[in-house]
Amino acid sequence: MSIDPRRLLGLAFASADLLVELQSGRVRLALGAAQKVMGKSEVGLMGQAWSELFHPDDRPLMDAMLSCADDGARRGPVVLRLDGEEERCVRVILRALPENEGRVSCAATAAQSAGPPLTADSLQPRESFDDIAQGLFEAARVTGLELELAMVEFAGLGALRESLAPNEVAALDVRVASAVRAESHGGSAATRLSPERFALLRQRDDRPENMVKRLTKMVSADVNAHVVPVEAGGGARAMRALRYALDDFLREGLKDAAPTTLAEAMNRSVKRTLARAGALGLAVSQRRFNLAFQPVVSLATGLAHHHEALIRFEDGSSPFAMIRMAEEFDLIEELDHAVVEQVVKKLANDHERKLRLAVNISGRTIGNETFVDHVGRLLAKYDEAKGRLIFELTETCAVDNLAVANQHIQSLRGMGSLVCLDDFGAGSSSFAYLQQLSLDIVKIDGRYVRELADNSRDGALVRRLVELCRDLKIRTVAEMVETIEVEDIVRQAGVDFAQGWLYGKPADKPMPALRPSAPIKAVARRAGASDSWG
């Protein structure tokens, strides 16, 4: 069979084990190691629908690449899984050359998986995206690969999802994920930051406006994007700049002109962050925050044992974001001092002497002797608060010296206060804390509690943890208890206390615990979220 030289040129645009030509999505020519790469002979590939050769979760990605191949730009490389029981991956690059009668040239090479498999409607979690970025930065340093960070915003995508039927939402999610992945390096270097904002790393070999045009075509939504070159060398500074740039994009969107470098993007974010930190410092020093109170219930009596005091900023800022910022800019100890001061005053003003309040303190604060001295002075001044104060040690910031921290914890206990380890299981240090700190209470992280009704594995974990704490003479709290069914499970597991929307949401003053006569419907909430100071 004679082959037009133009077609051979199209096939040879990249080094590959297998060269394939497609027309209308079907294989019309295959040259090379077809059996090795695709598990089929060259003849066996002829006439096959190209996308159907790949894993069902990866077909939308290939379809997205093919649907926009007519612009002549090089698409890929992406790594896709082949269909079939055996786990095999292929690295694919596409290009449709002009004046080639609509045929698409495809270069394929056997490859290793780029990471954990993604479903058709998913992108990398933010943590995995950071790991992929770090690997790409290192590869760029060694190989000279030129990368750029694309921050993409689909205007009105969140509102569009809310207007669609469930099956239409599912189809839209697949379309968006595959469109964004198709623009990313390897088809995996992309993440969703919010319902409308996405980030991806891609090779710097195509104009940004072409990417915007393709995304608009695929998703049928207005698309805006900032594309920022990644400086050669990468390393820790590039990763820090990436994180700052993405955090700023998540908060602010695409307000300014596109930064010319990743360093400039970081500098903009740092300036904004410093301004917010200054505002936070002022709010702390001037006590411009409020407290909300959520009951913690004794499972033996059904009554509130104590209430947790939760910080709420006057401007409505996220407590989690503000607490993390306070830790990053060394404001957390001052904030902890201010909150404890407010809580102690609240206890002193409780004339019935029945109210007990729990207050959160950072791992950084508990390591500082000035905090213990401050609590001692407060309790000496407000003697009525003694014996009614509980400190919840959080893991948002790691404890540097557990021995020193334990000394301070024992000082607080000596003043009549209880000490609780908050969110056990949420951080990597939980068991070390339990081993080296003498505590009164352990609060089990809500992620293990919320799904107890459906997950026997989590149930077993909770039971073993309760047994361990009982042996150590430590009481336990289950947080995020939202249904009577879960309440029954944690009670049967031997948990002492429970906290969650079943007993009441945070309120501006301590309220009695709710005791519903019938199960309430759990309110949908963000996975992993809990009502606490952070």
Side-chain angles (χ1 to χ4, degrees):
M1 178 179 66
S2 63
I3 301 176
D4 187 327
R6 190 189 309 276
R7 295 171 66 186
L8 284 176
L9 177 64
L11 291 170
F13 71 87
S15 173
D17 294 328
L18 175 67
L19 303 174
V20 174
E21 187 176 74
L22 310 174
Q23 188 155 38
S24 300
R26 292 188 175 274
V27 179
R28 60 173 294 138
L29 179 64
L31 299 173
Q35 192 69 46
K36 171 188 172 184
V37 176
M38 303 297 296
K40 294 179 181 290
S41 67
E42 295 176 5
V43 173
L45 287 176
M46 297 296 292
Q48 294 283 319
W50 180 243
S51 291
E52 296 297 315
L53 297 172
F54 299 96
H55 188 281
D57 280 335
D58 285 348
R59 288 172 195 166
L61 172 57
M62 178 52 65
D63 289 337
M65 295 177 67
L66 288 172
S67 69
C68 296
D70 55 358
D71 65 359
R74 178 176 183 260
R75 309 301 314 282
V78 297
V79 176
L80 305 98
R81 292 164 291 166
L82 290 175
D83 192 24
E85 296 181 2
E86 185 181 357
E87 184 72 21
R88 299 177 63 180
C89 295
V90 178
R91 181 178 179 269
V92 178
I93 302 173
L94 303 179
R95 174 167 278 164
L97 294 178
E99 300 181 17
N100 200 22
E101 300 180 6
R103 291 187 285 263
V104 176
S105 301
C106 175
T109 307
Q112 297 294 319
S113 173
L118 295 171
T119 58
D121 61 351
S122 67
L123 296 168
Q124 295 290 348
R126 175 69 186 274
E127 297 80 7
S128 299
F129 178 75
D130 287 352
D131 291 341
I132 290 172
Q134 191 164 1
L136 286 176
F137 289 172
E138 179 61 24
R141 185 185 67 81
V142 174
T143 66
L145 176 70
E146 292 188 324
L147 295 169
E148 57 191 10
L149 169 68
M151 294 173 281
V152 179
E153 191 167 41
F154 292 90
L157 185 61
L160 175 60
R161 291 182 83 258
E162 292 178 0
S163 70
L164 298 176
N167 63 319
E168 294 173 321
V169 170
L172 175 63
D173 288 345
V174 170
R175 204 160 65 245
V176 171
S178 56
V180 173
R181 286 181 64 192
E183 299 297 332
S184 71
H185 188 278
S188 62
T191 189
R192 182 193 300 266
L193 299 172
S194 77
E196 298 184 350
R197 293 173 187 166
F198 300 78
L200 60 97
L201 284 166
R202 66 180 207 144
Q203 285 186 241
R204 206 189 315 172
D205 60 357
D206 181 33
R207 292 185 298 174
E209 52 266 35
N210 291 337
M211 177 188 69
V212 169
K213 186 186 301 183
R214 291 190 293 264
L215 290 172
T216 301
K217 176 182 177 181
M218 282 295 300
V219 181
S220 300
D222 291 334
V223 178
N224 296 301
H226 279 178
V227 175
V228 186
V230 176
E231 295 87 345
R237 177 175 173 79
M239 282 304 303
R240 186 164 58 249
L242 176 80
R243 294 188 184 107
Y244 266 104
L246 294 187
D247 288 344
D248 194 54
F249 172 46
L250 177 58
R251 288 188 299 260
E252 306 291 338
L254 301 176
K255 290 185 175 180
D256 305 323
T260 57
T261 66
L262 198 55
E264 182 186 339
M266 181 181 75
N267 290 338
R268 288 184 187 180
S269 178
V270 168
K271 288 179 181 178
R272 288 187 175 123
T273 302
L274 288 173
R276 284 191 293 272
L280 173 61
L282 195 62
V284 172
S285 63
Q286 296 181 357
R287 305 301 191 257
R288 296 210 309 262
F289 59 83
N290 301 306
L291 295 177
F293 303 91
Q294 187 175 30
V296 178
V297 172
S298 167
L299 289 172
T301 66
L303 301 176
H305 176 268
H306 63 274
H307 289 73
E308 182 179 2
L310 309 166
I311 192 168
R312 297 291 184 262
F313 292 95
E314 290 182 351
D315 63 359
S317 301
S318 161
F320 176 78
M322 298 301 277
I323 294 303
R324 294 306 294 265
M325 185 183 297
E327 290 177 334
E328 186 172 350
F329 289 91
D330 292 326
L331 294 168
I332 191 63
E333 291 180 40
E334 185 180 354
L335 178 59
D336 284 346
H337 283 232
V339 174
V340 171
E341 181 182 304
Q342 299 290 79
V343 167
V344 169
K345 289 180 179 179
K346 180 78 173 177
L347 289 171
N349 290 329
D350 172 45
H351 301 297
E352 294 184 359
R353 306 289 187 265
K354 293 182 179 179
L355 182 64
R356 284 179 285 197
L357 295 178
V359 59
N360 293 274
I361 55 171
S362 166
R364 183 173 298 169
T365 300
I366 195 63
N368 196 324
E369 192 171 355
T370 60
F371 177 73
V372 177
D373 293 339
H374 182 236
V375 173
R377 289 193 300 271
L378 283 172
L379 293 178
K381 183 177 180 180
Y382 300 101
D383 185 70
E384 305 90 336
K386 284 185 178 178
R388 298 191 287 137
L389 187 60
I390 301 171
F391 293 98
E392 293 196 12
L393 177 62
T394 73
E395 282 194 75
T396 54
C397 185
V399 177
D400 293 327
N401 190 321
L402 288 172
V404 170
N406 194 49
Q407 290 177 10
H408 297 164
I409 287 172
Q410 302 324 308
S411 296
L412 295 174
R413 296 175 78 197
M415 298 177 197
S417 299
L418 300 179
V419 179
C420 170
L421 178 59
D422 194 16
D423 293 330
F424 185 92
S428 58
S429 303
S430 294
F431 277 101
Y433 288 5
L434 193 58
Q435 181 183 26
Q436 299 187 51
L437 303 178
S438 296
L439 303 159
D440 300 289
I441 303 171
V442 163
K443 181 179 283 188
I444 304 167
D445 184 62
R447 287 178 296 179
Y448 298 109
V449 174
R450 190 173 176 218
E451 308 299 332
L452 282 178
D454 304 315
N455 191 330
S456 58
R457 181 176 181 179
D458 282 348
L461 187 149
V462 170
R463 286 192 296 274
R464 298 298 178 269
L465 175 58
V466 171
E467 290 174 5
L468 173 62
C469 289
R470 188 182 296 119
D471 290 342
L472 296 173
K473 295 182 171 52
I474 296 174
R475 288 177 286 181
T476 49
V477 179
E479 64 179 1
M480 289 180 66
V481 176
E482 298 179 348
T483 68
I484 289 179
E485 183 180 11
V486 171
E487 181 194 55
D488 289 340
I489 294 173
V490 297
R491 181 186 286 109
Q492 292 169 15
V495 175
D496 299 289
F497 308 109
Q499 179 179 6
W501 289 2
L502 181 65
Y503 313 105
K505 296 182 181 181
D508 58 2
K509 60 181 180 179
M511 303 292 290
L514 298 174
R515 294 298 296 158
S517 57
I520 65 170
K521 182 179 180 181
V523 181
R525 54 201 293 191
R526 178 173 56 84
S530 62
D531 282 305
S532 68
W533 75 325

